[in-house]
Amino acid sequence: MSHGRTKSTIPTGDHRNLLDIIDRLRAQGFSRYVDLPEIIVCGDQSAGKSSVLEAISGMQFPTKDGLCTRFATELVLRRGPEKSTKVFITPGGCRYDIEKEALERWQPRASIDKDGLEAVTEEAMSVMQVPTPQRFYDDILRIELTGPSQPHLTMVDLPGLFRAGNKEQSDDDVDTVRSMVEKYMARPRSIILAVVSAKNEYVLQEVTSMAKHADPEGLRTMGLITKPDTLDVGSDSEGYWVRLAQNTEVELRLGWHVLRNRNFEQRGSTSAERDAIEKDFFSKGIWNGVNSSHHGVEALRIRLSSILKDQILSQLPSLVQDIDAGILECTEELERLGPVRRTHNEQLKYLLTLSENYTSLTTQAIDGAYTDRFFGSRKKFDGYPMRLRAVVQNRLLDYRQEMLLNGQRQRITDSESEDEDEDKISESPRIPRSQYVEDVAHRLKFSRGRELPGLFNPLIVGDLFVEQCEPWRKITKTLVGDILEAAQYTTQLVIQHVAASDIADEVLRFVHEKMEELKVKLDAKIDELLASAMQHPITYNRELTENVQKVQQARHKRAIKQLIGKMFGSQHFQDADRKMNLNPVQLVNILAQGLEPDMELFGSSTAVDYMEAYYKVAMNRFIDDVSVLAIEDCLIREISKIFKPSKVSNMSPEDISRLAGESTESSVERKHLKGKRDILNAGLRDLKGLQKQGEFARRTEWNPASSEDVKSKPGKTTYSSEKASSTNQPALPADADFELRAPAPTDMWREPTRDEEWDFAVTPPRVPKKE
């Protein structure tokens, strides 16, 4: 096969290899997973789209406007020494097993050469309708034409747009075709070839608004004007369409093109006669002002071939990235599904592995060693629910604060106490200490024993303490509920991470059943701790007496300070160095006044002091007992043990099958994912092969022999950045520290070798200047 260039300057060899790779990927169903670069041909039914495709390919297309196909047709044109035609169907993504194999084996009974494309299309439609007819098919009819005059080009022909139904196409088909075209237009790697007829008003043709919506900036749309011969010569309408062809009315980055196809009288003319008539038309009148590369079918073939090639090259880097991402996603999903689990041994082996992974992750979550990627980044909140130790620690700190502020039934306040800040934020009802002491004294009168006046019944301390602890139960039960919810959510996330999606719910149900058993033990332990805390006060903690002494000393100090202030004025306390004369007898009298004269109130006050001191000791002990003996021992430490491998080994075959048995849906999904990954891997290998041959970059159009963009010197070529910017080519900075080296003049037009076939895709090497 020749790898040079033809008279039409369409590159062969390497260009064909490039397109063949993309087409091979598309034929394998690659486009179901990753959008591929392609040219989509779309337009209204009366726009002459079929005549355009016929002019490009030389194959007769059905021109009947009422014919509505429900699938796309892929037209693959390749240059070759012999003419050949191949027709087959590429199954859509919704086809599996029998349906997919039936479509792949399908061969048309009708012949395109003898019976025409319309017969083949109808036959393809009939086979796609099995098992049930649909309004739209993801399947693609693929037609490959090879011949010595064909360009290297691939296009996807979409059904023509129409506004109303008739005998052969319903009103529902209007929306079907429109949604189909919109779907293809929305693909960011698609080049939109919008075919518009000069016979109709530009703004009234639906394809124009749809292309504008899909490609607002006009970066990947090329306009194609048909039927220019129907315009009145010299009319304003003809002038408008000429300006449109010159890219001045509606500016598109890829520009516009004009074709003059056969009219009704010329329907029997040959391709050569058709091309001659077209050439003569554009050589006369106002159309002669349109650039010759922007009209005529020969120029269109070259132009579309170049556009498609450039689109492929520019999209290859991102295409490789998308494929890598798709392969990674498949691999992760296959890991989630796990291995095949049909037999008992396969199920047991998988369940053992699953339990090991569960135990490992829950152990890390409990120990606070978040090393697995399951826990996410420590800097982000997303992984916080997985970090059970952090959740439990923070909740217990909140519990301690809640007990400190709201754990008392009544907040006993002293106007001169140092705990005023805590009193303000507490939600417990407040009662002045003096009033509370009087209430206690009143209760002691009706429960008096043999104690002497001024003493108190020691049982009153326990009674007062139990009353003050009343909120503990509610606060602690709320804590237990929150911790259980957090633990269940963490285990749910772990199971969803390590188990196949089809068995995750069953395994999670098993784990939560075991956690319900832990909840029963936890509730029993909480009830036990609450009952123990409400018994008669018992403690040998020296903090009890120390707290009593501290509070009594502080109260006595405040009382003496208040008496001295009344007698000598409060200004004496504002200056620590200030001295005053004081009569010793007067001092003794002052100190005597600080004692409580009512012995009943004195005893009640002492009882309240002991109750409050014991409350602090008991509360701290209770918080620790709940945290360690209940939350930690009865729940947190047991979470990683409820699904240990040793327990899995002792399960019955029925339980193992129930937990690890594979569903039909899971088996189908695994087969689908493996097929998808195989297709993506094969495509990636092909694209990586291209990557080894040349750098993926948009081709820089330059011709050392004739281009004005290049200033030649012997053995050296300097690129003109000014010209480059005006032709949409990458510009080089004026102070660039490199030059583009051209080949030697003697080698400039020699036949390229196999290693040079990728020159069109490789940016010329940057060579440092010699100083």
Side-chain angles (χ1 to χ4, degrees), residues 25 28-30 32-33 323 326-327 330-331 334 670-686:
L25 296 179
Q28 293 170 351
F30 195 88
R32 298 199 300 264
Y33 314 117
I323 296 172
I327 292 173
C330 287
T331 302
L334 285 170
R670 181 184 294 104
K671 183 177 180 180
H672 169 68
L673 287 171
K674 286 183 176 180
K676 176 181 176 179
R677 187 173 64 175
D678 291 343
I679 290 174
L680 293 178
N681 274 320
L684 186 63
R685 283 193 299 269
D686 288 338

Side-chain angles (χ1 to χ4, degrees), residues 45 63-68 166 168-169:
Q45 283 189 350
T63 57
K64 188 177 180 181
D65 289 344
L67 180 63
C68 176
N166 55 26
E168 298 185 15
Q169 51 193 17

Side-chain angles (χ1 to χ4, degrees), residues 434-448 460 464 598 600-601 603-605 608:
S434 58
Q435 180 182 340
Y436 188 78
V437 171
E438 291 178 359
D439 293 344
V440 172
H442 182 72
R443 292 175 59 176
L444 284 173
K445 288 182 181 181
F446 299 98
S447 60
R448 188 183 299 279
I460 191 65
L464 296 176
D598 190 331
E600 298 295 336
L601 292 179
S604 299
S605 177
V608 172

Side-chain angles (χ1 to χ4, degrees), residues 479-592:
L479 167 74
V480 170
D482 292 345
I483 295 293
L484 270 170
E485 183 180 353
Q488 289 178 338
Y489 187 50
T490 299
T491 55
Q492 176 182 337
L493 294 175
V494 171
I495 293 299
Q496 290 174 347
H497 179 72
V498 300
S501 55
D502 60 328
I503 67 169
D505 290 342
E506 195 65 40
V507 175
L508 188 61
R509 190 177 297 111
F510 169 83
V511 171
H512 283 180
E513 286 175 359
K514 298 299 180 182
M515 291 193 67
E516 285 297 320
E517 297 176 5
L518 297 181
K519 180 180 181 298
V520 173
K521 296 180 181 178
L522 177 60
D523 289 339
K525 176 58 71 173
I526 292 295
D527 292 339
E528 177 185 335
L529 293 176
L530 284 170
S532 176
M534 303 305 170
Q535 292 179 356
H536 181 74
I538 299 176
T539 183
Y540 302 99
N541 193 327
R542 60 187 300 175
E543 288 186 5
L544 175 70
T545 55
E546 290 177 355
N547 289 338
V548 171
Q549 292 172 355
K550 286 180 181 179
V551 71
Q552 290 181 346
Q553 289 174 358
R555 189 182 309 112
H556 192 55
K557 182 178 178 181
R558 290 195 301 272
I560 294 175
K561 181 179 178 180
Q562 186 177 11
L563 291 172
I564 294 176
K566 286 182 179 180
M567 183 171 294
F568 300 102
S570 59
Q571 67 273 12
H572 294 284
F573 295 99
Q574 298 174 0
D575 187 358
D577 296 330
R578 186 171 182 176
K579 298 180 180 180
M580 61 178 291
N581 296 323
L582 186 64
N583 189 318
V585 177
Q586 194 176 21
L587 176 61
V588 171
N589 292 334
I590 292 173
L591 296 176

Side-chain angles (χ1 to χ4, degrees), residues 266-293:
Q266 299 161 352
R267 62 187 182 277
S269 60
T270 64
S271 296
E273 291 172 344
R274 177 242 173 247
D275 294 348
I277 294 173
E278 180 182 57
K279 185 176 181 181
D280 179 67
F281 174 81
F282 288 118
S283 66
K284 299 176 182 179
I286 193 173
W287 294 101
N288 190 34
V290 178
N291 191 318
S292 61
S293 62

Side-chain angles (χ1 to χ4, degrees), residues 578-630:
R578 186 171 182 176
K579 298 180 180 180
M580 61 178 291
N581 296 323
L582 186 64
N583 189 318
V585 177
Q586 194 176 21
L587 176 61
V588 171
N589 292 334
I590 292 173
L591 296 176
Q593 293 178 20
L595 300 176
E596 174 62 59
D598 190 331
M599 297 307 294
E600 298 295 336
L601 292 179
F602 178 80
S604 299
S605 177
T606 304
V608 172
D609 289 339
Y610 270 92
M611 185 275 293
E612 290 190 293
Y614 180 74
Y615 179 90
K616 292 181 179 179
V617 173
M619 181 187 69
N620 291 330
R621 181 177 61 195
F622 181 74
I623 290 174
D624 288 343
D625 288 346
V626 168
S627 302
V628 178
L629 300 180

